Amino acid sequence: MAEVAEPLVDAMVAGGVRVLFFASGSDVMVFQEEIARREAHGLPAPRLVPVLHETVGLNAAMGFAMAGGGVAAVAAHVDVGTLNMGAAWHTLRRCGEPVLILAGSPPTSEPGVRRGGRDHPVYWLQEPVDQRTLFQPYLKWGWRLSSFDNPGLVVSRALQIARSEPCGAAMVTLPRDVVMGQAPDLPYPDTGRLGLPAPTHPDPEAISRLARLIADADCPVIVTGASGRDPRTVPLLTELVELAGAWVTESGWRERLNISSRHPMLATGPALGAADMVLVVDRHIPWVPDGGPDAPPEDATVAWLGRDVLVADVPIVEHPADLRIPCTTANGLAALIAALRDAHTPVTRRRAQARLAEGRRRRTALDTRQDAEAIAAPGSPVDPRRVAYELGLLLGDDAILLDEAVSNAPHVRAHHRGGRPGSFFAQSGSAGGWGSGAALGAKLAAPERDIVLASGDGFYWFGSPGAALWTARHAGAPYLAVVFVNGRYSTGTVQASHFYPGGYAEAAGFPGGVFDPPPDYAAEAAAAGGWGRYVDDADQVAQALREGLARTREGAPAVVAVRVR
């Protein structure tokens, strides 16, 4: 007789799940059996990708979705396995990608009563009050499967919620004695039949008003960070920026490639404090409202456009707005472009083109200066600007760059030369360790593209990189990790010095903020079946990066660990 796992997997296939990142457990083993059964009989099934640590699995699911692979699933063992996902839960809450989490749960049936019931002392110890409550703040939707449920419908509903904007995490907890039970003979709709919400359109009157405000502005500034989550928005935002002559800032935090990294209006304009018109496009927290030069003046007109213009999942947000226009971002930008063409007069159009011409002059000067500074920077230990510069030269427009470089992220962004939608990703929250798993997932989603992770060594270590490298090797998903090794946390050194200048911690050498000598990341790569190189001289950086990328193209994950100052 078919077990419950059969309709669960069947609904996953129908709902578009192509990959299941799998960490072993006595409950989720049902997926091993069911997927192997389907493959033996030539039936469609998600690819089961073993991971050695659950945090790698969850981050990989996010990377898979980010890189265009669609919704992925993650299986983990009872509460301990889902707890082992750790800080990746925080990133998942903020990244806006769809993920299905299949969390095993211990059986509650008495010994000998049902197949899969309690047959070991551990099953009494593993039962929390309600496993879902542990993760409720990070979920869009959660359900505990019971023997009375229609399993296929539960998975279809979970995927419908996860894939609806704003996308997020749906979790189904699966008691072992339930999923090992006989499957009910019940029809169910797949996710497509349940239906996904149609893209939303903006209010025409609000768009017309916004277009007039932008056209009349002397210094319009667009703040974005994640609009590029939808690749269709990149050319639309580019067209809007050039039509409006609007400066673009990411306020130090770029989650996606929203406009070409070297567009003349990106990061070349005046500070937000000089703006008279500010448009926030798909950005959670666009500035710190402290009245400084990096926040708009009180008399500036402020508008928000995108999927969540209320930032509803953050309890208190005091940022002002004269207009908030909720819509699918691509639809909103397209409507605004059309309205701005109508709103422009010959005078306002000439002013916009003059700002664009000024942006081109500034971009040329900025790129020339930054490249020259990187080349001339001291070489041992290596200046991080040199690493970012050489990385920027190496990567083609087809490459996908994942940025978790933390204090060196501004250098990575400054020297990134890509303009292709979906070519740059950074984690959306503050949880370290996203990068290694995300790089693995991105490579599985886009096997034909070079995948490169730029990471600070502290965050790199948080992500169980050895486990990710092992999976990358054995799943045929090689990526290059470039690790900026400075042996310290900026929070425990730079921040501590800022708030306690000349203090006791600084005098003592920042205990708790420094981990020097750092781990040998290159040796760890070799131990996991990959390739590693340690570099401490600037003249070695370019060659090491080229060799590392070449090794990934040969099928081996690679790590270049660069000792930076």
Side-chain angles (χ1 to χ4, degrees), residues 31-55:
F31 294 111
Q32 293 173 271
E33 178 67 17
E34 175 58 21
I35 289 175
R37 183 191 72 81
R38 296 172 77 91
E39 291 175 345
H41 290 282
L43 301 172
R47 178 183 179 184
L48 189 146
V49 178
V51 293
L52 301 184
H53 196 288
E54 290 86 350
T55 194

Side-chain angles (χ1 to χ4, degrees), residues 165-339:
E165 293 287 357
C167 298
M171 175 179 176
V172 183
T173 54
L174 303 167
R176 191 177 80 157
D177 46 356
V178 174
V179 291
M180 294 184 72
Q182 181 179 335
D185 185 17
L186 296 172
Y188 62 87
D190 61 25
T191 303
R193 181 59 180 157
L194 286 179
L196 300 177
T200 56
H201 291 265
D203 175 68
E205 291 185 9
I207 285 290
S208 295
R209 180 186 170 196
L210 176 57
R212 291 192 298 271
L213 290 168
I214 293 173
D216 292 339
D218 293 319
C219 186
V221 177
I222 296 174
V223 186
T224 189
S227 60
R229 184 179 289 117
D230 180 351
R232 297 173 301 169
T233 66
V234 176
L236 290 169
L237 182 63
T238 303
E239 185 176 357
L240 175 64
V241 165
E242 295 177 0
L243 181 62
W247 307 102
V248 182
T249 178
E250 293 161 335
S251 293
W253 196 327
R254 179 202 295 184
E255 299 177 37
R256 303 289 191 274
L257 186 134
N258 309 298
I259 191 170
S260 174
S261 290
R262 295 217 162 176
H263 191 278
M265 302 304 280
L266 174 63
T268 58
L272 268 175
D276 58 351
M277 168 67 222
V278 178
L279 173 60
V280 180
V281 180
D282 255 353
R283 177 65 181 264
H284 276 97
I285 307 300
W287 58 79
V288 176
D290 59 359
D294 294 323
E298 289 189 8
D299 59 353
T301 302
V302 178
W304 296 56
L305 181 147
R307 299 168 309 149
D308 181 15
V309 293
L310 291 177
V311 197
D313 61 344
V314 177
I316 303 297
V317 176
E318 61 269 46
H319 296 68
D322 299 280
L323 275 173
R324 294 188 189 268
I325 307 177
C327 57
T328 301
T329 307
N331 288 343
L333 292 175
L336 183 55
I337 290 167

